[in-house]
Amino acid sequence: MFNIDINDTVYTVQEDMKLLDFLRDEAQITSLKNGCGEGSCGACMLLMDGKAMRACLLTVAKVAGKKLTTVEGLSEREREAYVWAFAQAGAVQCGFCIPGMVISAKALIDKVPNPTPQEIKQSIRGNICRCTGYVKIEKGIMLAAQVLRGELQANAQSGAGIGTSIHRVDAREKVLGTGHYVDDMHVDQMLHAAVLRTKYPRALVKAIDISAARVYPGVEAVLTAEDIPGDHDHGHIFHDWPTLVSVGQETRYIGDALVLVAAQTKKQAREALALIKVDYEELEPILSPTQALEEQAYSIHPKGNLLSTTKINRGNAQEALAKSAHVVTHHYSTPPTEHAFMEPESALGIPQADGGIIIYVADQSVYDDQHGIMAMLGLPAEKVRVISKLVGGGFGGKEDLSVQHHAALLAMKTQKPVKLTLSRKESLLVHPKRHAMELDITTGCDANGRLTAMVAKIVADTGAYASLGTAVLQRACTHASGPYQIANVDITGLCVYTNNPPAGAFRGFGVPQSAFAAETNLDLLAEKVGISPWEIRYLNALEPGMVNSTGQITDEGTAIKETLLAVREVYENHPYAAGIASCMKNTGIGVGLPDTGRVKLKVLKGKAVVLTSAACIGQGFATIATQIVHEATGLPIQLIEVGAPDTALTPNSGTTTASRQTMFSGEAVRQASLKLQQALYNSSLEKLEGSEFDGEYFGETDPMNSEKLNPVSHVAYSYATQVVLLDEQGKVERVVAAHDVGRAINPKAIEGQIEGGVTMGLGYALREDFPLEKGVPTAKFGTLGLFRSTEVPEIECIIIEKNSSPLAYGAKGVGEIASIPTAPAVASAYYKFDGKLRCSLPLQGTPYKK
């Protein structure tokens, strides 16, 4: 028996166990998050006798007799100080890491009330944030220290309209850990799920024996593919991904699921898995696109190993290259990479008395989930309700079904609530990654440096299942020519199945890969011409009214040249090495596909409530929507609320992908708000109780194979230029990021997106990798190469506003583009630093890569 003091309450624990499991599952202290379970991320930080410690590395026995403090144990004064300071700084995005950050900050400030910036960086070195780039968290800690010293008042904010950096509407619940992520939920009679996955990337499943698991104490269900009542396969574009691999089928990657178990405790569920016997015939996997495309290669899927081909053709590229004064050809390689969102996947299914089900999720589209689960269960839409809780980051990695369908199936079979939360190890195995690509790029220009042609072949490894691979490859190809006018392009892309983990959506959606290759070629062309990398970009940059490589005429809001001008001085004046890269990125799905933002604005209990399924995965859509309603109606923000995505209450506003929600759902919010404003002319909010106002924006575009001379591929594009500066030791000392955002609804939120994107881009450039050994991932969360606070350089954001469009008050997407130009800019800086051309990521021979 052990006695432990948590926040001045003494708990008696009968047997030793992991401290984090006791705190979250038994004491239900859920501000501490289980981000990795291996001591790498700091999301479970607490104070033990005043020292910051990771709860996942401690046991109940180790802390007996110690005084433990979590965010729940802060004084009222401390709570208000941290809430205000973190909100004021813009430190909160997805929020999953924030309570752990607050604990690390308290440990520092209790000992050093007036910390230096370096001491603050060092204090959170054990805490990983994947959203913010740490810049604003560090600022938040500095502000909190000032408030707690009595030097600064936590003042109320003034103004809330477009262009104002208001506090995020969800800051309080995320700072204090009172907001619920799915794994924080506890309901009566809840069972815990576990999944048996294949031992081999490719194997024939000859037999599965679940008899011992079925009778194990506490086990209430053991399910195989035979227990699926509806469709067995799911997927965004192609239904090629089995919910469970059945006997007689081959597994296709190491994350494939075979058996589901639901038991009364997590421990019982895991122990039952160990009793399941599977008879495999191990088979040789295909581990590269080259191997997959060989004539004698077996077919991973019935239709073969070539998932899709993309072609972009304008002019006569080969003829233009033959006439070019300078031509550069190089081969480039980019690796698979892990999203490393802070919150591992989690879902809770709760069966309903009417034969339906409610599933609580944390991902990028409740409607995508609903469609997949309906098909699997064979139920109509009205019987499958999907509700989103807070989402601890996504970056594209939470677009596919991972746990939602499994939790739903078990809940329906047991008729009890079932929660399934992946361990970090499982998460690394299961969800799709960024596509590894091999790129051959040829770029030509005339004697003055004006671009004449580009020829490219891009081969993407989409892994075992299609996910969104076809669309990712498409963006890699359509954006390969960058934000430049090139009259002649010939680009071919191949998306290929292998037995590696699937690849799908990841921030940038194929463009980080092609931009790295194309931008590096551009520097080499500039060298041949005898002009600077800045000059060749400015000379060829798109202007309003020009034609991009897909044939689309650029609009009046095109501001790539403005981003280049904004960084010119810092680029040209750096003494050691400065690298530069530019890019563009679509806003919206485009290419002729359905693409609609939808909102209902409902007057409820004296407030204007925004109802939309647009998922906030850290980018802060609820805050953006609040500002748009305020701008259109003049209502104070205290009278505006944004509801959670819920298929029973909120209209389908599409997936949070393609940098689309601020513009698409934002425009829908604007339209609904203007209708409310009209109604308020003749009435009061109280008298409008129960009224609903709809808003909808459909982004009309042309398909990829359109025969129009100038098709509209996307409704808008954002543009960016980033400059990376190295010090004399070859370490990155500063990044200057100039971004065309159309109109900045909340400048501080945009800065946070850019800082986080730059930090992610630095990781991609310098350290991040996802090594595979015969198709099996070998990385842990702590070895992925993620940047920590002490390693992030100074980041300066320059926001360019040039967009007269009334849509969403002129806002364009910034979520994805923030991380696209960083890697090529880093490569450009190292080429200038030591003259070595680096054509693969992560870059070799830098102080960051041994």
Side-chain angles (χ1 to χ4, degrees):
M1 187 186 294
F2 307 93
N3 290 327
I4 56 175
D5 180 337
I6 309 167
N7 302 325
D8 297 324
T9 298
V10 176
Y11 294 77
T12 300
V13 189
Q14 296 302 321
E15 60 181 84
D16 196 15
M17 62 196 302
K18 283 187 175 181
L19 177 62
L20 184 58
D21 289 343
F22 172 76
L23 291 169
R24 288 186 54 78
D25 298 337
E26 307 295 327
Q28 294 190 18
I29 296 171
T30 55
S31 68
L32 304 96
K33 308 301 179 191
N34 191 349
C36 70
E38 60 188 41
S40 297
C41 77
C44 65
M45 205 70 84
L46 50 62
L47 297 182
M48 184 169 78
D49 291 341
K51 185 179 179 184
M53 304 285 283
R54 299 168 181 87
C56 68
L57 299 180
L58 298 171
T59 62
V60 166
K62 281 183 183 174
V63 301
K66 310 283 187 184
K67 184 171 175 56
L68 305 182
T69 306
T70 70
V71 167
E72 288 87 346
L74 296 180
S75 70
E76 190 60 32
R77 182 165 176 265
E78 286 175 317
R79 286 183 199 174
E80 294 308 314
Y82 283 109
V83 167
W84 178 83
F86 275 53
Q88 180 71 11
V92 181
Q93 288 190 33
C94 89
F96 196 80
C97 73
I98 295 298
M101 293 283 184
V102 170
I103 288 295
S104 292
K106 176 175 165 57
L108 171 68
I109 292 169
D110 283 353
K111 291 185 174 63
V112 186
N114 191 1
T116 65
Q118 193 54 41
E119 285 171 326
I120 290 172
K121 274 185 177 290
Q122 195 62 43
S123 75
I124 58 169
R125 195 187 182 284
N127 300 72
I128 285 177
C129 174
R130 192 62 162 159
C131 294
T132 67
Y134 307 100
V135 178
K136 289 184 171 15
I137 291 175
E138 291 162 19
K139 175 83 182 296
I141 295 170
M142 185 68 80
L143 289 175
Q146 288 177 282
V147 171
L148 292 168
R149 291 198 307 272
E151 294 174 8
L152 189 62
Q153 285 292 111
N155 298 320
Q157 52 189 346
S158 60
I162 302 302
T164 308
S165 294
I166 73 164
H167 291 182
R168 284 187 59 132
V169 298
D170 53 5
R172 173 173 287 274
E173 64 176 344
K174 287 179 173 177
V175 172
L176 298 181
T178 57
H180 277 159
Y181 300 83
V182 178
D183 195 43
D184 299 332
M185 298 177 71
H186 293 264
V187 295
D188 289 343
Q189 294 188 298
M190 185 174 79
L191 303 177
H192 296 271
V195 183
L196 182 72
R197 301 188 189 277
T198 176
K199 276 176 71 175
Y200 310 103
R202 182 182 174 224
L204 176 65
V205 180
K206 298 172 78 174
I208 301 175
D209 180 358
I210 58 174
S211 55
R214 273 200 164 134
V215 297
Y216 192 72
V219 169
E220 301 213 7
V222 182
L223 306 182
T224 65
E226 294 174 1
D227 297 296
I228 299 169
D231 293 351
H232 281 234
D233 296 334
H234 59 86
H236 282 290
I237 298 171
F238 302 99
H239 290 189
D240 62 356
W241 196 332
T243 294
L244 294 168
V245 176
S246 59
V247 172
Q249 284 187 327
E250 285 185 16
T251 65
R252 296 188 178 98
Y253 88 115
I254 197 67
D256 267 335
L258 307 180
V259 184
L260 307 179
V261 172
Q264 290 162 14
T265 69
K266 291 179 188 174
K267 188 167 179 276
Q268 289 167 337
R270 286 194 298 265
E271 288 170 348
L273 284 190
L275 301 175
I276 297 168
K277 294 173 183 169
V278 182
D279 182 10
Y280 296 100
E281 180 186 336
E282 188 182 359
L283 301 167
E284 197 63 33
I286 286 178
L287 302 175
S288 74
T290 304
Q291 191 185 350
L293 295 175
E294 289 173 355
E295 269 188 52
Q296 68 273 27
Y298 75 90
S299 290
I300 296 171
H301 289 275
K303 66 176 187 176
N305 296 337
L306 181 62
L307 171 63
S308 69
T309 302
T310 296
K311 286 188 177 291
I312 312 289
N313 266 299
R314 287 187 66 245
N316 189 327
Q318 294 296 346
E319 186 180 299
L321 283 177
K323 294 177 180 175
S324 297
H326 304 287
V327 176
V328 168
T329 300
H330 274 289
H331 178 80
Y332 298 89
S333 296
T334 65
T337 44
E338 158 66 25
H339 299 76
F341 37 72
M342 294 301 299
E343 175 204 24
E345 297 87 336
S346 185
L348 170 62
I350 303 178
Q352 302 298 296
D354 66 356
I357 187 169
I358 294 175
I359 307 105
Y360 291 94
V361 300
D363 53 34
Q364 296 178 229
S365 171
V366 290
Y367 278 93
D368 285 358
D369 290 349
Q370 184 194 45
H371 297 151
I373 293 166
M374 282 163 51
M376 178 198 67
L377 294 177
L379 291 175
E382 62 271 17
K383 295 287 189 186
V384 178
R385 181 179 180 184
V386 183
I387 303 171
S388 181
K389 303 301 284 183
L390 294 178
V391 184
F395 314 112
K398 290 180 179 172
E399 291 195 36
D400 301 79
L401 291 176
S402 56
V403 289
Q404 308 92 316
H405 54 329
H406 290 156
L409 184 60
L410 283 165
M412 290 302 282
K413 289 291 182 180
T414 60
Q415 284 300 296
K416 287 184 180 178
V418 177
K419 183 161 73 174
L420 174 57
T421 302
L422 297 189
S423 68
R424 180 59 70 173
K425 183 178 179 182
E426 281 182 290
S427 177
L428 292 176
L429 289 181
V430 172
H431 71 254
K433 313 302 170 193
R434 176 179 272 144
H435 283 78
M437 291 190 188
E438 299 294 323
L439 310 97
D440 291 287
I441 309 281
T442 299
T443 322
C445 69
D446 66 18
N448 297 316
R450 196 166 290 280
L451 295 171
T452 53
M454 171 182 274
V455 174
K457 184 180 181 185
I458 301 173
V459 180
D461 180 350
T462 209
Y465 301 110
S467 181
L468 287 154
T470 56
V472 171
L473 174 74
Q474 210 176 67
R475 297 304 173 275
C477 292
T478 58
H479 288 62
S481 53
Y484 311 109
Q485 188 167 44
I486 309 178
N488 305 284
V489 293
D490 182 358
I491 300 168
T492 301
L494 305 177
C495 200
V496 185
Y497 284 121
T498 66
N499 290 121
N500 291 323
F506 192 144
R507 192 180 205 167
F509 213 76
V511 187
Q513 296 95 311
S514 59
F516 165 64
E519 288 290 297
T520 303
N521 260 20
L522 209 51
D523 280 7
L524 299 174
L525 272 182
E527 192 174 43
K528 283 177 176 282
V529 176
I531 58 177
S532 78
W534 185 92
E535 288 172 299
I536 199 167
R537 285 169 174 79
Y538 193 78
L539 176 67
N540 291 286
L542 291 165
E543 295 176 12
M546 287 183 171
V547 178
N548 70 19
S549 65
T550 63
Q552 182 164 342
I553 298 171
T554 54
D555 63 26
E556 288 302 311
T558 301
I560 180 62
K561 283 201 161 179
E562 286 80 351
T563 70
L564 279 158
L565 289 169
V567 302
R568 181 176 189 174
E569 187 176 347
V570 71
Y571 176 72
E572 292 180 347
N573 291 344
H574 193 265
Y576 297 111
I580 189 169
S582 299
C583 71
M584 67 179 193
K585 182 66 177 73
N586 60 290
T587 293
I589 295 163
V591 295
L593 296 171
D595 202 359
T596 306
R598 295 183 186 90
V599 157
K600 280 183 187 172
L601 194 55
K602 191 166 186 176
V603 182
L604 287 171
K605 297 178 182 175
K607 291 189 175 183
V609 181
V610 178
L611 298 173
T612 176
S613 69
C616 175
I617 59 173
Q619 84 280 26
F621 182 72
T623 306
I624 298 304
T626 300
Q627 289 187 255
I628 291 174
V629 175
H630 169 80
E631 181 78 18
T633 64
L635 289 171
I637 58 172
Q638 294 81 2
L639 296 181
I640 304 165
E641 280 186 8
V642 180
D646 179 340
T647 55
L649 300 176
T650 61
N652 189 351
S653 203
T655 312
T656 294
T657 190
S659 305
R660 61 182 294 278
Q661 290 296 9
T662 294
M663 181 177 175
F664 279 69
S665 297
E667 171 58 13
V669 173
R670 188 183 76 93
Q671 290 182 16
S673 300
L674 291 173
K675 291 176 185 175
L676 171 59
Q677 182 207 31
Q678 291 280 306
L680 287 169
Y681 275 128
N682 305 312
S683 186
S684 65
L685 201 60
E686 292 75 19
K687 288 178 182 173
L688 292 171
E689 183 68 27
S691 301
E692 272 187 20
F693 305 89
D694 293 338
E696 183 170 305
Y697 169 63
F698 172 64
E700 191 170 351
T701 54
D702 298 309
M704 281 288 293
N705 55 359
S706 171
E707 295 191 1
K708 288 184 182 177
L709 178 62
N710 297 114
V712 175
S713 299
H714 296 281
V715 295
Y717 290 91
S718 299
Y719 299 90
T721 301
Q722 292 182 5
V723 168
V724 169
L725 309 176
L726 305 182
D727 64 19
E728 49 193 317
Q729 280 80 43
K731 296 290 282 278
V732 179
E733 67 174 5
R734 189 177 171 207
V735 180
V736 181
H739 281 260
D740 153 41
V741 302
R743 181 95 185 271
I745 290 179
N746 187 312
K748 205 168 278 181
I750 287 173
E751 288 173 5
Q753 288 286 290
I754 294 169
E755 289 156 357
V758 165
T759 302
M760 193 176 277
L762 289 172
Y764 187 48
L766 294 164
R767 274 220 306 253
E768 288 184 39
D769 201 351
F770 194 72
L772 300 170
E773 193 172 306
K774 294 187 177 177
V776 180
T778 59
K780 294 181 176 181
F781 193 77
T783 64
L784 290 169
L786 309 178
F787 265 56
R788 294 184 179 269
S789 54
T790 49
E791 299 161 316
V792 176
E794 179 192 345
I795 301 171
E796 179 188 346
C797 303
I798 302 171
I799 295 174
I800 307 292
E801 296 184 275
K802 178 195 174 184
N803 191 17
S804 57
S805 168
L807 298 175
Y809 293 109
K812 298 192 287 190
V814 72
E816 291 178 282
I817 197 170
S819 64
I820 293 170
T822 317
V826 172
S828 173
Y830 278 105
Y831 184 63
K832 192 170 175 185
F833 181 72
D834 60 17
K836 293 178 185 172
L837 181 64
R838 295 166 173 87
C839 293
S840 62
L841 295 177
L843 303 172
Q844 300 297 308
T846 76
Y848 298 88
K849 191 75 183 165
K850 293 175 184 175

